[in-house]
Structure formats: C-alpha cells, structure tokens
Amino acid sequence: KFRQHVSTEASQATLASVSPVFAVMKFDKEGNTSYFEKKKTELYQELGLQARDLRFQHLMSITTRNNRIIMRMEFLKAVITPEFLLILDYRNLNLEHWLVNELASQLAGEGQLVTYSLPFEFRAIEAILQYWISKLQGRLNTLQPQILETLEALVDPKLLSVDRSKLHILLQNGKSLSELETDLKVFKETILEILDEEELIEELCLTKWTDPRVFEESTSGIDHAEEMELLLENYYRQAEDLANEARELRVLIDDSESIIFINLDSHRNVMMRLNLQLTMGTFSLSLFGLIGVAFGMNLESSLEEDPRIFWLVTGIMFLGSGLIWRRLLSFLGRHLEPSLPPQVPAILKKTQPAAGRMEIKSDLKAETFGLSRSTLTN
C-alpha cells in the first residue's frame, strides 16, 4: 500500500509538471495591466474553476462557471470576473497591439464604450465583442473593393475570353468571403443561444450575484439582465448587418458569373455561326467545282476549242456557288431567328378600345353633370 501511494503521488506530480503554461495578461477595473505565466492547474484552482473550463473546446463560445465568464473568440481566450479580466495566450501581434493600445483605456472608462457606467463585466464583454465585430468589419471592408474591382474587369461584353488571373483572384476572394460568412454565422448563433435563455443572461451579470446591493438597477432604471440583453442584441444586430452585406456580395458574384457565362456563350455562338457560314460557302464552291473537275479530265470534246467556253464555265461555277450559298444562309437565318411574341387575340383587341371608350364616356358624363350643377348654382 505504501508503494502504491508513493507511485500515485509521483504520477500526479509528473502530470502536474507537464500541464500547459498560459501567458496571461491581467486588467483590473482601473485599466492597470500586469503580465505573468502560470500553469493551467494553478490558474483554474485560483479562479475556482475545473480543468475542463479552461480547455476552450469551441472556436467561439460564451459560458459562465462559478461566477466567472469564459469567452472564446477563435484565438482570443478570456476569463472575466467582477474585479479583473484575464487574457490567455495573448502573444499575437494583432491581438497584443489591441490589448496594449485600446483595451486598457476602454476598461478604465476612457474609451467609447456605452457601458462605462455599468459594472466591470459589462465593459469587458462589450470591449471584446466590439473588437471582434470591428475585426469582421475590417475583413469585409478589405474584400468588398477587391471583389467589385475584379467583377468590373470580368463583366465586360467586349471581352472574347476571360482573364484567368482575374478568375483566380475572384476564386480566392470568394473563398475568403465564405469564411467570413461562416464566422458571422457562428458569432450570431453564439449570441442568439444566450438571448434565447433568460437564465444565461442572468448568469452573465456577475456583480448582481456577488453583491446584490450594488448596482441593483442602472441609472436609467433598467435591470442588469435587461442591460445585458440589450448589449448582446446590439452586437447581434451589427453582425446581422455585416452578414447581409456579405450576402449581397455573394449574390453579386453569382449574378456576375451568370453574365460572364452569357457573354462567353454569345461569343461562342457568333464563332459557331461564322464557322457554319464558311462551311456552307466551302460546300457551295465544291459543289459547282465539279464542273471544273469534269472539264479538267483528259477527255477531248469540241468545247475546249471555243475560246469563250472558259469564261462561260467559270461564270456558271461562281454564280451557282453564290446562289447556293445565299439560299443556305437564308435557310439558316429563318431557323436561327428568335420566335415572335404571341399575338394578342382578336377578342382582346376589340374589347380593350371599347373599355377605353366606356371610360371616356363616363368621364365626359361626369364633367357634363358637374358643369350643369355649376350652371344651376350660378
């Protein structure tokens, strides 16, 4: 038993020694920042959480555990408490720039956050959601002019062929747009999942549970849960607007692809028709060229002695070829002309003017009746 106990303690110590280490950036209510590194086991014990709470399984999630808010926005991992905000694994160039230059001042109330008068968790949630929405907006602003410029270069009826480099750029932009639509969809679903559950909204109001006497109601007389619902609904609406813009871009790409295909089909039809006309001309020449073949045989007749027969046979060949070619072209034109619109039945043609005459007559009667009344009044 003693050996088993010693081996168990050794295995636990080994497991604790290989636990991952988080690079943590801590923000307090005044915006003061501190940096440190801490093992996962020590961190979740200090926060009163379980190991699975810091696993960050989903790419995007907002959950509450033991009066702590755990947020994951892809590479952004955050733990919010009523007193401070922890950003885990912050060593990312873009993320570190935002953390140092913007987040600290926003949490201290110097930024443009709407929730500066509310408890600390409101400011932390709004700052993270605002950062993520601005990041999605920046991606859309980058893609939109590139897609419009590429489509403008491709949708040109004068082009007989499509530039493959432009198509490659459009394909890459379309792929990036699909990724953006997916991220917006996941973001909206994450917030909508909270908005649909009243208990989840209540759990996000940490100060209300730690100290019910403080900030029980805001200055406007709205409960904290309602404030949190309005906050989440605001960013859900912004994400919905971005999704609508991305959807419009997708529809524009699909419509432009249809226009490109129509232009290419039109040019292809022109080339096919030209090829068909040349084939008809070749057939006509070869058909009447048989006369020249007949006279070119090594057979003697009295016709070759006449000096005018050459010009006569040549004229017949070219004239006959031209006539045959014109007949074939007229046949082709009759079968390729677009069909005429359906004719209006004679009954409708007769009834429509009659109806018009009836309306005119009724208008004239009304005017005459009005004139007679005015005359009587005078």
Side-chain angles (χ1 to χ4, degrees):
K1 290 182 180 179
F2 177 74
R3 288 178 180 176
Q4 290 178 355
H5 181 69
V6 171
S7 61
T8 303
E9 288 183 352
S11 62
Q12 290 178 353
T14 305
L15 290 174
S17 62
V18 299
S19 63
V21 177
F22 288 118
V24 185
M25 183 179 288
K26 182 178 179 180
F27 300 87
D28 59 9
K29 294 182 179 180
E30 288 74 25
N32 300 322
T33 308
S34 59
Y35 309 86
F36 57 88
E37 292 185 357
K38 189 160 289 190
K39 291 184 179 180
K40 180 179 179 181
T41 53
E42 299 175 358
L43 186 61
Y44 71 70
Q45 287 175 2
E46 290 183 4
L47 294 174
L49 301 174
Q50 299 293 329
R52 61 177 178 271
D53 297 331
L54 299 181
R55 197 174 299 157
F56 298 103
Q57 300 175 354
H58 305 285
L59 290 178
M60 194 169 293
S61 62
I62 303 175
T63 56
T64 55
R65 294 285 189 277
N66 195 17
N67 207 31
R68 304 284 188 268
I69 300 174
I70 305 169
M71 296 185 67
R72 171 73 183 268
M73 297 291 171
E74 288 191 4
F75 52 84
L76 177 60
K77 307 172 185 176
V79 179
I80 303 173
T81 71
E83 293 82 19
F84 56 84
L85 164 67
L86 299 180
I87 303 295
L88 311 181
D89 294 337
Y90 65 91
R91 288 168 181 170
N92 184 297
L93 291 178
N94 297 329
L95 185 60
E96 195 168 0
H97 176 77
W98 167 68
L99 292 173
V100 175
N101 297 334
E102 299 182 17
L103 181 58
S105 60
Q106 287 179 342
L107 295 178
E110 299 175 2
Q112 298 179 353
L113 297 181
V114 182
T115 57
Y116 68 94
S117 60
L118 292 171
F120 177 75
E121 65 269 15
F122 284 81
R123 283 177 280 166
I125 292 175
E126 184 182 5
I128 294 175
L129 294 179
Q130 187 183 75
Y131 166 74
W132 195 248
I133 282 292
S134 63
K135 189 172 183 62
L136 295 175
Q137 179 72 56
R139 289 168 59 184
L140 183 61
N141 293 339
T142 304
L143 281 175
Q144 190 170 12
Q146 295 178 0
I147 292 176
L148 294 178
E149 182 181 358
T150 307
L151 292 178
E152 186 177 359
L154 288 174
V155 183
D156 190 353
K158 298 179 182 179
L159 294 178
L160 299 178
S161 61
V162 179
D163 190 357
R164 293 191 176 183
S165 62
K166 296 291 184 181
L167 284 179
H168 182 66
I169 294 173
L170 183 62
L171 181 62
Q172 291 180 340
N173 292 333
K175 184 178 178 182
S176 301
L177 184 62
S178 300
E179 294 175 356
L180 176 60
E181 289 177 336
T182 303
D183 292 342
L184 286 169
K185 180 181 178 182
V186 174
F187 182 82
K188 292 194 309 179
E189 290 177 353
T190 303
I191 296 183
L192 189 61
E193 184 179 355
I194 300 174
L195 291 175
D196 290 339
E197 297 291 337
E198 187 176 354
E199 296 180 357
L200 296 178
I201 299 176
E202 292 279 352
E203 291 175 359
L204 292 177
C205 304
L206 304 181
T207 308
K208 188 174 182 178
W209 301 103
T210 55
D211 191 359
R213 294 173 300 176
V214 180
F215 298 119
E216 186 64 31
E217 288 187 355
S218 65
T219 56
S220 59
I222 303 177
D223 188 68
H224 277 180
E226 296 179 3
E227 293 276 9
M228 183 64 69
E229 184 177 0
L230 292 174
L231 174 65
L232 296 176
E233 198 170 316
N234 178 33
Y235 285 96
Y236 178 83
R237 185 174 64 253
Q238 293 184 29
E240 183 69 26
D241 294 339
L242 292 179
N244 291 334
E245 293 182 16
R247 196 177 301 115
E248 290 176 0
L249 271 181
R250 175 65 61 187
V251 172
L252 185 60
I253 290 176
D254 295 339
D255 294 343
S256 301
E257 287 179 354
S258 302
I259 294 174
I260 292 170
F261 291 144
I262 289 172
N263 289 337
L264 292 178
D265 290 340
S266 176
H267 293 302
R268 192 181 298 112
N269 292 336
V270 170
M271 298 303 294
M272 291 175 63
R273 184 163 184 170
L274 178 60
N275 187 19
L276 185 58
Q277 291 175 356
L278 293 177
T279 304
M280 290 178 178
T282 305
F283 171 73
S284 304
L285 288 175
S286 60
L287 181 63
F288 277 86
L290 294 175
I291 301 176
V293 173
F295 278 92
M297 291 188 296
N298 295 327
L299 298 177
E300 294 182 357
S301 62
S302 59
L303 296 176
E304 63 268 9
E305 297 177 357
D306 191 349
R308 296 171 298 178
I309 199 67
F310 171 76
W311 301 107
L312 180 62
V313 172
T314 304
I316 292 174
M317 288 171 55
F318 280 100
L319 183 60
S321 300
L323 291 175
I324 291 294
W325 190 44
R326 292 297 300 172
R327 290 289 297 173
L328 291 175
L329 288 179
S330 62
F331 175 79
L332 177 66
R334 286 198 304 269
H335 286 76
L336 292 182
E337 286 180 355
S339 58
L340 296 175
Q343 297 182 354
V344 181
I347 300 175
L348 294 178
K349 289 182 179 179
K350 292 180 180 178
T351 55
Q352 289 176 355
R357 287 195 298 270
M358 291 294 293
E359 292 178 357
I360 293 171
K361 288 181 180 179
S362 60
D363 294 339
L364 289 174
K365 288 181 180 178
E367 292 178 359
T368 308
F369 181 69
L371 289 173
S372 62
R373 290 184 60 185
S374 61
T375 305
L376 290 174
T377 305
N378 293 331

